[in-house]
Amino acid sequence: MKIALMDSGIGLLAATAAVRRLRPDADLVLSLDPDGMPWGPRTPQDLTARAVAVAEAAAAHRPDALIVGCNTATVHALPALRARLEPGIPVIGTVPAIKPAAAGGGPVAIWATPATTGSPYQRGLIEDFAGGVTVAEVPCWGLAEAVEHADETAIASAVAAAAALTPEEVTTVVLGCTHYELVADRIRAAVQRPDRPPLVLHGSAGAVAAQALRRIGARPEPEATGLGSVTVLLSGREGGIPQPALAYAEGRLLQTVSPAP
């Protein structure tokens, strides 16, 4: 089994780790775009072109499925990616976990990039899946960039700023950018109120990994023996895991296996 994941940067690590935990024997292809990152400020047309190029680099390695490990790329490029690769390679997008979060009753805060916060896309998800639940949209200025570079000072500052915008009554936080899942513990510590029940965080990585397996008719086998290989593509060129990735447990998990020959 071979699963490919794509993103402009290391936001794909959360879904990669989730796939590794469900199927440690799966070979992984990680396709990043250091030449074109960040994707967020690009026009939808430009972002789609970059995403298609990164996806095609991954597709050349003949994966069984491709996970788009980026919320922004899913919003703008998923139709183009599916038109290009399916049905040969199933393409799985990443959508903020608003539906399961709202099922808990709220109040809910959605932490997302400034570009996504207040967007028609996010407002549509809230309207479709969070009816009757109080939802606060929280723009997280600079947090994805800080996580991407493993800049601890910038991460602390961005998390504190977003926490200050999060209403005190919030019981659930949706992590609306894949980068945020890498610092989930820090987000929990910043938002948790001493006199409130334990904060519930909802990321997308686990659901995305499970959906990828379903799309190819595979089952989770977390006890499978043997670790699959890891191939890293950097704007189409084979390379190594970016150094900032190793600041996170999800990145270090990939160090335990050598690249494919």
Side-chain angles (χ1 to χ4, degrees):
M1 182 191 308
K2 183 182 291 185
I3 305 292
L5 301 98
M6 59 170 281
D7 188 7
S8 63
I10 64 174
L12 53 66
L13 286 178
T16 302
V19 172
R20 175 60 91 213
R21 293 185 186 104
L22 291 178
R23 289 300 299 252
D25 57 333
D27 293 331
L28 302 174
V29 178
L30 311 185
S31 190
L32 288 69
D33 188 26
D35 293 356
M37 66 175 298
W39 284 349
R42 293 181 176 274
T43 66
Q45 296 79 10
D46 192 19
L47 187 155
T48 296
R50 301 294 312 187
V52 167
V54 166
E56 289 183 334
H61 289 255
R62 303 174 63 85
D64 298 298
L66 172 68
I67 292 172
V68 184
C70 172
N71 298 89
T72 302
T74 298
V75 171
H76 296 296
L78 189 60
L81 294 172
R82 284 181 166 162
R84 186 69 61 96
L85 298 177
E86 292 187 341
I89 301 175
V91 180
I92 297 90
T94 299
V95 177
I98 294 173
K99 184 176 182 179
V108 173
I110 304 172
W111 282 34
T113 63
T116 299
T117 300
S119 67
Y121 165 74
Q122 183 160 291
R123 290 282 167 86
L125 292 175
I126 294 170
E127 183 176 329
D128 290 344
F129 299 120
V133 176
T134 301
V135 176
E137 297 182 88
V138 178
C140 302
W141 297 93
L143 181 53
E145 294 81 0
V147 172
E148 178 69 32
H149 296 100
D151 184 332
E152 291 294 331
T153 300
I155 291 170
S157 177
V159 167
L165 298 175
T166 303
E168 289 196 11
E169 65 272 17
V170 159
T171 61
T172 305
V173 173
V174 174
L175 304 177
C177 170
T178 54
H179 281 80
Y180 302 170
E181 297 191 49
L182 301 179
V183 291
D185 288 346
R186 277 169 270 193
I187 292 172
R188 182 189 304 279
V191 178
Q192 179 68 57
R193 314 297 180 187
D195 58 340
R196 305 284 293 177
L199 187 73
V200 178
L201 297 184
H202 282 276
S204 302
V208 167
Q211 175 66 1
L213 295 183
R214 282 194 293 269
R215 288 288 302 275
I216 63 175
R219 296 188 179 191
E221 293 183 16
E223 303 305 321
T225 58
L227 286 178
S229 64
V230 178
T231 300
V232 179
L233 305 174
L234 304 175
S235 299
R237 307 175 300 272
E238 289 204 26
I241 297 170
Q243 190 63 32
L246 304 181
Y248 305 103
E250 293 86 348
R252 294 190 294 273
L253 184 64
L254 302 177
Q255 282 187 298
T256 59
V257 63
S258 59

